[in-house]
Amino acid sequence: MESRYVDNQRLDELITTYSDMVYRIAMMRCQSREDAEDVYQEVFIKLVRYAGQLESDEHIKAWLIRVTINQCNSLNTSSWKKKTSSFDDMLENGQEPSEVDEGIERAGEGDEMLQVVRQLKPEYRDVIYLFYYEDYSIRQISDALHETEANVRVRLTRARKKLKSMMEEKGMGPHGGF
């Protein structure tokens, strides 16, 4: 395949347009600011390499979503990730907060709904995020995730039920029509 590059101005436009979306997806999947930043950087490095081969803005957006999810999956299954502990794991194992970095910042910490969504399985988080935050249709989600439309509908229904149950457990009222 021929390697075609885009000019810097077009690349800047793409990064400006899609950077928030890529970062939000990475945060939803990685749940760590540092990991999300690593994924973000890798995704846009790949965009520099492949942007000239992508036909339209809609194709670029779908490609970025897929690459971001794949990068998150790769990071989460890497041997490095398996050999390290998360902040929450350290607390569960009896370590005091002073023993770990108390300065950890997490995007959206004050947003209760975001915290509930983050507790869903990745396949549910993806469809909820794309449907409600990116306003994707079932067909667009299906294309972006390489899943059938029926499977996307089932995941969306299950995710909504799970969210409703989780919100009721936390004593939260209905938000966003889930």
Side-chain angles (χ1 to χ4, degrees):
M1 184 178 275
E2 180 185 327
S3 182
R4 297 177 293 177
Y5 293 97
V6 296
D7 62 44
N8 288 339
Q9 182 179 356
R10 175 69 175 142
L11 197 56
D12 286 344
E13 289 172 11
L14 293 173
I15 292 171
T16 300
T17 302
Y18 298 113
S19 61
D20 288 342
M21 177 193 72
V22 168
Y23 187 72
R24 285 191 308 263
I25 293 170
M27 280 300 298
M28 292 293 281
R29 293 270 213 119
C30 296
Q31 299 185 3
S32 152
R33 181 178 48 87
E34 292 81 10
D35 289 344
E37 289 171 356
D38 288 345
V39 167
Y40 175 91
Q41 183 175 5
E42 288 296 320
V43 167
F44 283 107
I45 288 171
K46 288 181 185 220
L47 180 65
V48 168
R49 199 172 302 139
Y50 295 106
Q53 299 169 10
L54 305 171
E55 294 93 30
S56 66
D57 283 351
E58 193 59 36
H59 185 204
I60 290 170
K61 185 175 182 179
W63 183 87
L64 285 169
I65 290 169
R66 186 74 247 160
V67 170
T68 303
I69 290 170
N70 289 344
Q71 282 298 127
C72 291
N73 289 344
S74 294
L75 178 70
N76 289 331
T77 58
S78 70
S79 61
W80 168 258
K81 194 74 168 169
K82 290 177 184 176
K83 293 178 183 177
T84 58
S85 297
S86 73
F87 180 74
D88 295 331
D89 290 341
M90 290 183 210
L91 291 177
E92 286 177 14
N93 291 330
Q95 288 181 289
E96 295 296 320
S98 60
E99 296 176 32
V100 293
D101 184 9
E102 291 182 44
I104 292 178
E105 297 175 26
R106 294 180 188 240
E109 219 170 29
D111 184 350
E112 290 180 76
M113 188 61 188
L114 180 61
Q115 292 302 316
V116 174
V117 171
R118 291 173 105 184
Q119 293 172 14
L120 293 171
K121 292 179 180 179
E123 61 268 18
Y124 296 155
R125 280 195 309 249
D126 293 343
V127 295
I128 289 291
Y129 175 79
L130 293 173
F131 190 79
Y132 289 103
Y133 290 90
E134 293 298 326
D135 294 323
Y136 263 37
S137 68
I138 300 292
R139 171 169 278 157
Q140 290 170 317
I141 295 170
S142 169
D143 292 343
L145 299 179
H146 304 294
E147 297 285 344
T148 65
E149 288 182 36
N151 194 15
V152 170
R153 278 190 207 91
V154 167
R155 285 184 184 183
L156 197 52
T157 300
R158 289 179 182 169
R160 287 175 181 144
K161 286 180 183 176
K162 185 68 176 164
L163 276 174
K164 183 178 178 183
S165 168
M166 293 167 69
M167 289 168 51
E168 287 171 354
E169 286 176 15
K170 294 182 178 288
M172 296 170 64
H175 293 291
F178 293 120

